[in-house]
Amino acid sequence: MGSYSTTSSSAQNCPKLVFRQLFEKESSTYTYLLADPSHPQKPALLIDPVDKTADRDLALVKELDLKLIYAINTHVHADHVTGSGLIKTKFPGVKSIISKASNAKADLFVEPGDKIYFGDIFLEVRATPGHTLGCVTYVTGDGPNQPQPRMAFTGDALLIRGCGRTDFQGGSSDKLYDSVHSQIFTLPKDTLLYPAHDYKGFTVSTVGEEMLYNPRLSKDKETFKNIMQNLNLSYPKMMDVAVPANMVCGLQETKSEAC
Amino acid sequence: MGSYSTTSSSAQNCPKLVFRQLFEKESSTYTYLLADPSHPQKPALLIDPVDKTADRDLALVKELDLKLIYAINTHVHADHVTGSGLIKTKFPGVKSIISKASNAKADLFVEPGDKIYFGDIFLEVRATPGHTLGCVTYVTGDGPNQPQPRMAFTGDALLIRGCGRTDFQGGSSDKLYDSVHSQIFTLPKDTLLYPAHDYKGFTVSTVGEEMLYNPRLSKDKETFKNIMQNLNLSYPKMMDVAVPANMVCGLQETKSEAC
């Protein structure tokens, strides 16, 4: 076979970042591993680790010769148990992080505007309540030494062509609409969106795509609120186990000592 | 929270490439969408599309405003039905591609060393028999205008911390070992490896990682052959449907007319 068409492709600055997207099938949860391989210590963090796949994630961290420093949650999940507490029992140096607004236990609490550094790379914290009161979105930094395009870890605030439900845990469709439109849709259109879940096999989207094609959040606020009010979703089967556990890093027995 | 450590991260050239990894849960298959967005026509291709998720993939192609030109298979799959034929019935301009060595039907047949261009970006064809006789690995080009690091779509030849079985369809553990060591492990160590399947929630690996940590292929050839001989795998449940269908682009009824 020969060549069929040629044209120049443009180049852009792309700083090094170790990045892995990891999937937990049962709850369709994505865990994200990020690290700065240029730093002598290769500091790494996990976003939304799951208890059932914590060993897989820790084995990968070890194989990649990274130093795990943070286990971070976007919010108090209702559909799976976080791996944060379990990870801390195995790697006591790891600090758990969650938003102050979540009211959950953790080593460090973040607020809007905070920066979480791992090596020279950082995540910026944006408040995106609506699925829960304490939901945040973590966005890679804006700057010459930060990954381009930017990457946003949206938790359940914004899913690919969808969004998290708003009918419990302090949920509010009014707040979620404002959160996504003011904190996520204002990012550059090529920003890569990495949600906490996907049920259709998508792995990533962009701000531009969701602004155009999200069947809920591309609508006006009243239509969105109507859609969310009429979803008629069943009670999450894991909720009564997951929420109390996730308030204390996923380890109910040992409670806050492990957080 | 403040900043905990800082260091400079290095930058590298990173040409534009639209890239999407898509998952089909039932057979744990990854389909890959690649496109050159810098070319006026935004030409795109799908690697290993699945019949059940063809509509999802085509909707995405449309939303991203891409022009699908190729539906490519790494080999004749035994565990799912390819979406190539179905895609061609919906987009008659799309050409199906498979290796000449597969003996399957397609519009275009590739051989080792061939280049498949979409815009200015190309895939290089490498013969990696062993799982089947006709298995190939598609590798993004080596050059200043090609994606960096390189990306290899390994089909079932090399899976993350594993490999495809070698006990049917002209399989040979001897050949598979040579294929992986001569055609994949000789690529730069930072080459990103994208397999046709993953069963543990991994999405990507690298050549360097698999050379060190693949529990089968990091061993010497005799040990590898012994491992493969003693897997005692059951007969694939989809095989008697999938293989005959995939010999003719996934559309048995219409046979070669649709290929």
Side-chain angles (χ1 to χ4, degrees):
Chain A
M1 264 182 64
S3 88
Y4 292 89
S5 64
T6 54
T7 185
S8 289
S9 66
S10 64
Q12 61 191 94
N13 243 12
C14 179
K16 271 192 199 298
L17 168 80
V18 169
F19 175 64
R20 294 295 166 92
Q21 184 169 23
L22 299 151
F23 189 58
E24 197 282 310
K25 264 190 176 184
E26 205 173 311
S27 60
S28 295
T29 299
Y30 283 124
T31 296
Y32 300 95
L33 172 66
L34 287 84
D36 181 353
S38 306
H39 188 278
Q41 292 195 313
K42 299 188 185 178
L45 56 83
L46 284 167
I47 299 175
D48 289 335
V50 179
D51 61 345
K52 287 178 184 166
T53 40
D55 285 338
R56 172 199 66 187
D57 301 347
L58 293 175
L60 182 63
V61 165
K62 193 179 170 194
E63 287 176 350
L64 295 179
D65 196 25
L66 304 173
K67 182 180 160 66
L68 188 64
I69 58 172
Y70 300 130
I72 305 182
N73 278 290
T74 51
H75 65 289
V76 174
H77 304 276
D79 55 357
H80 68 272
V81 175
T82 177
S84 295
L86 195 59
I87 287 169
K88 279 172 50 64
T89 61
K90 299 187 181 204
F91 286 76
V94 174
K95 303 280 184 202
S96 57
I97 299 181
I98 201 162
S99 75
K100 196 171 179 184
S102 71
N103 279 323
K105 299 271 184 193
D107 293 313
L108 301 165
F109 300 102
V110 286
E111 293 185 271
D114 280 350
K115 291 177 180 176
I116 302 168
Y117 270 88
F118 52 109
D120 199 35
I121 306 172
F122 67 90
L123 295 174
E124 178 190 311
V125 180
R126 294 188 173 210
T128 48
H131 168 62
T132 75
L133 250 178
C135 283
V136 294
T137 290
Y138 299 105
V139 188
T140 57
D142 191 15
N145 291 319
Q146 301 302 314
Q148 274 301 326
R150 295 179 78 177
M151 304 158 83
F153 302 92
T154 57
D156 287 11
L158 180 57
L159 305 178
I160 299 171
R161 310 293 192 266
C163 65
R165 62 198 289 175
T166 55
D167 56 340
F168 55 69
Q169 281 184 285
S172 153
S173 57
D174 193 87
K175 274 204 180 75
L176 182 59
Y177 191 89
D178 290 344
S179 291
V180 171
H181 280 260
S182 70
Q183 301 299 312
I184 302 175
F185 283 179
T186 49
L187 286 161
K189 284 189 179 171
D190 65 350
T191 302
L192 298 165
L193 298 176
Y194 292 101
H197 302 284
D198 193 87
Y199 307 96
K200 291 180 182 166
F202 293 110
T203 54
V204 66
S205 183
T206 64
V207 165
E209 246 174 277
E210 294 308 316
M211 286 174 76
L212 276 175
Y213 300 118
N214 190 295
R216 298 177 184 175
L217 285 151
S218 61
K219 304 289 190 294
D220 64 74
K221 196 191 227 181
E222 282 315 303
T223 309
F224 175 74
K225 285 168 70 174
N226 259 324
I227 293 170
M228 297 310 288
Q229 209 159 17
N230 292 294
L231 291 178
N232 298 316
L233 298 169
S234 56
Y235 193 77
K237 59 183 177 190
M238 280 288 287
M239 182 145 165
D240 296 337
V241 174
V243 172
N246 290 337
M247 290 299 286
V248 288
C249 283
L251 291 179
Q252 263 194 294
E253 300 81 39
T254 45
K255 297 241 162 120
S256 57
E257 291 81 1
C259 285
Chain B
M1 261 181 69
S3 90
Y4 291 89
S5 64
T6 55
T7 184
S8 289
S9 66
S10 64
Q12 62 191 95
N13 243 11
C14 180
K16 272 191 198 296
L17 168 80
V18 169
F19 175 64
R20 293 297 166 91
Q21 184 169 23
L22 300 151
F23 189 59
E24 196 282 311
K25 263 190 176 182
E26 205 174 310
S27 60
S28 295
T29 300
Y30 283 125
T31 296
Y32 299 96
L33 173 65
L34 287 83
D36 180 353
S38 306
H39 188 280
Q41 292 194 313
K42 300 188 183 177
L45 55 82
L46 284 166
I47 299 175
D48 288 334
V50 179
D51 61 346
K52 288 177 184 167
T53 40
D55 285 338
R56 173 199 65 187
D57 302 347
L58 293 176
L60 182 62
V61 165
K62 192 179 170 193
E63 287 176 350
L64 296 178
D65 196 24
L66 304 173
K67 182 181 161 65
L68 188 64
I69 58 172
Y70 300 129
I72 304 183
N73 277 289
T74 51
H75 65 291
V76 173
H77 304 277
D79 56 357
H80 68 272
V81 175
T82 176
S84 295
L86 194 59
I87 287 169
K88 279 172 52 61
T89 62
K90 299 186 181 207
F91 286 76
V94 174
K95 303 281 185 202
S96 57
I97 298 181
I98 201 162
S99 75
K100 196 172 178 181
S102 71
N103 278 323
K105 300 271 184 193
D107 293 313
L108 300 165
F109 300 102
V110 286
E111 293 185 272
D114 280 349
K115 291 176 180 176
I116 301 169
Y117 270 88
F118 52 108
D120 200 34
I121 306 172
F122 67 89
L123 295 174
E124 177 191 311
V125 180
R126 296 188 172 211
T128 48
H131 168 62
T132 74
L133 251 179
C135 282
V136 293
T137 289
Y138 299 105
V139 188
T140 57
D142 190 16
N145 291 319
Q146 301 301 314
Q148 276 300 329
R150 296 179 78 177
M151 304 157 84
F153 301 92
T154 58
D156 287 11
L158 180 58
L159 305 178
I160 299 171
R161 309 293 191 265
C163 64
R165 61 198 290 175
T166 54
D167 56 342
F168 55 70
Q169 283 184 282
S172 153
S173 58
D174 193 87
K175 275 204 179 75
L176 182 60
Y177 191 88
D178 289 345
S179 291
V180 172
H181 280 260
S182 70
Q183 301 299 311
I184 301 175
F185 283 179
T186 50
L187 286 162
K189 284 191 178 170
D190 65 351
T191 302
L192 298 165
L193 298 177
Y194 291 102
H197 303 283
D198 193 87
Y199 307 95
K200 291 181 182 166
F202 293 111
T203 54
V204 66
S205 183
T206 64
V207 165
E209 246 174 276
E210 294 308 316
M211 286 175 76
L212 276 175
Y213 300 118
N214 190 294
R216 298 177 183 175
L217 285 152
S218 61
K219 304 290 189 293
D220 64 73
K221 197 192 223 180
E222 284 314 304
T223 309
F224 176 73
K225 285 166 72 173
N226 260 324
I227 292 170
M228 297 310 288
Q229 209 158 19
N230 292 293
L231 290 179
N232 298 317
L233 298 170
S234 56
Y235 192 77
K237 59 182 177 191
M238 279 288 287
M239 183 146 165
D240 296 335
V241 174
V243 171
N246 290 337
M247 291 299 285
V248 288
C249 283
L251 291 180
Q252 263 194 293
E253 300 82 38
T254 45
K255 297 241 160 116
S256 56
E257 291 80 2
C259 284

